Amino acid sequence: GRKQRYLCKDCNKRFIEDVVKNIKGNSEFVVKTLDLYFKGNSYRAIQDHFKQVYDFKIDSSTLYRWVIRYCKIMITYTEKLHPRVSRTWHTDEQMIKVRGMERWCWNTVDRETKFLLANQVTSAKYIKDARRHFRKAKEVAGFKPKFIITDGLSAYKKAAMKEFLTWRIPK
């Protein structure tokens, strides 16, 4: 849990260069915690990992607080980013089970960057659901697509016509 201290050659002052601010422990442990958490490990599994690999004992509640704290920071940072996506999008839906009930997961991905433009879960596959999904993708991208590649669901065609087509932009 030690931090690297540096000495300035010009003024002979000591300083700590740290990615993670205002934390007692090692910032590498915070980054490793986030990495293991997003790979699907539980807090207890992460705690066990630190004990076995680094011989470092840490409480799982501390790991939980780190994840909550730094996820908020990551969310505010990523919300400011604007993706540079192409004008060709791939859209598809798939059936998933949520608590034993059938739901539909809609995804729209940019063809070139593979950036996830929109994702939503609905209880049906109606035109209004597809239209809401396209609206989300359009907000993230900041423009209308030139091409949308789908699996041929009829709701896509009707929703795309209502959401993207105008008298200026024909079919």
Side-chain angles (χ1 to χ4, degrees):
R2 295 185 177 187
K3 292 186 178 184
Q4 176 70 46
R5 295 178 189 265
Y6 298 96
L7 179 67
C8 177
K9 291 181 181 179
D10 296 331
C11 65
N12 283 337
K13 288 192 177 184
R14 295 185 183 272
F15 64 94
I16 298 171
E17 187 175 71
D18 205 354
V19 176
V20 182
K21 305 289 183 201
N22 301 326
I23 194 161
K24 285 184 179 179
N26 191 339
S27 63
E28 291 177 26
F29 286 171
V30 175
V31 173
K32 187 71 173 172
T33 299
L34 293 171
D35 180 48
L36 291 169
Y37 177 77
F38 287 117
K39 287 181 178 173
N41 292 305
S42 67
Y43 295 115
R44 301 277 183 205
I46 299 169
Q47 178 185 24
D48 185 51
H49 173 80
F50 283 125
K51 180 66 179 156
Q52 288 181 12
V53 175
Y54 300 104
D55 195 28
F56 182 71
K57 189 173 182 180
I58 188 166
D59 194 61
S60 60
S61 63
T62 302
L63 300 173
Y64 172 76
R65 285 193 303 273
W66 284 354
V67 169
I68 297 299
R69 179 179 177 184
Y70 293 102
C71 279
K72 287 179 184 176
I73 293 170
M74 285 189 290
I75 288 169
T76 55
Y77 173 74
T78 56
E79 284 176 345
K80 295 174 186 173
L81 298 177
H82 297 288
R84 294 182 182 170
V85 295
S86 68
R87 295 208 174 257
T88 304
W89 301 348
H90 289 267
T91 298
D92 197 15
E93 83 291 336
Q94 67 180 22
M95 193 269 296
I96 58 173
K97 292 247 182 184
V98 178
R99 295 187 183 133
M101 298 170 61
E102 291 183 355
R103 299 286 184 238
W104 294 96
C105 179
W106 305 71
N107 293 306
T108 297
V109 180
D110 176 55
R111 182 179 194 168
E112 292 177 13
T113 63
K114 308 298 186 230
F115 185 84
L116 181 66
L117 292 166
N119 171 279
Q120 78 173 15
V121 177
T122 61
S123 57
K125 296 193 301 183
Y126 296 127
I127 297 169
K128 66 177 182 173
D129 300 319
R131 201 166 168 199
R132 187 176 330 117
H133 181 70
F134 284 150
R135 204 173 300 123
K136 280 183 179 181
K138 187 171 61 172
E139 285 175 17
V140 171
F143 54 81
K144 297 176 183 181
K146 191 171 185 179
F147 300 102
I148 298 177
I149 300 168
T150 69
D151 59 2
L153 179 69
S154 61
Y156 286 136
K157 184 177 180 181
K158 293 175 183 174
M161 288 176 72
K162 288 184 177 184
E163 199 60 39
F164 301 125
L165 300 182
T166 63
W167 291 108
R168 294 177 137 187
I169 305 170
K171 185 174 176 182

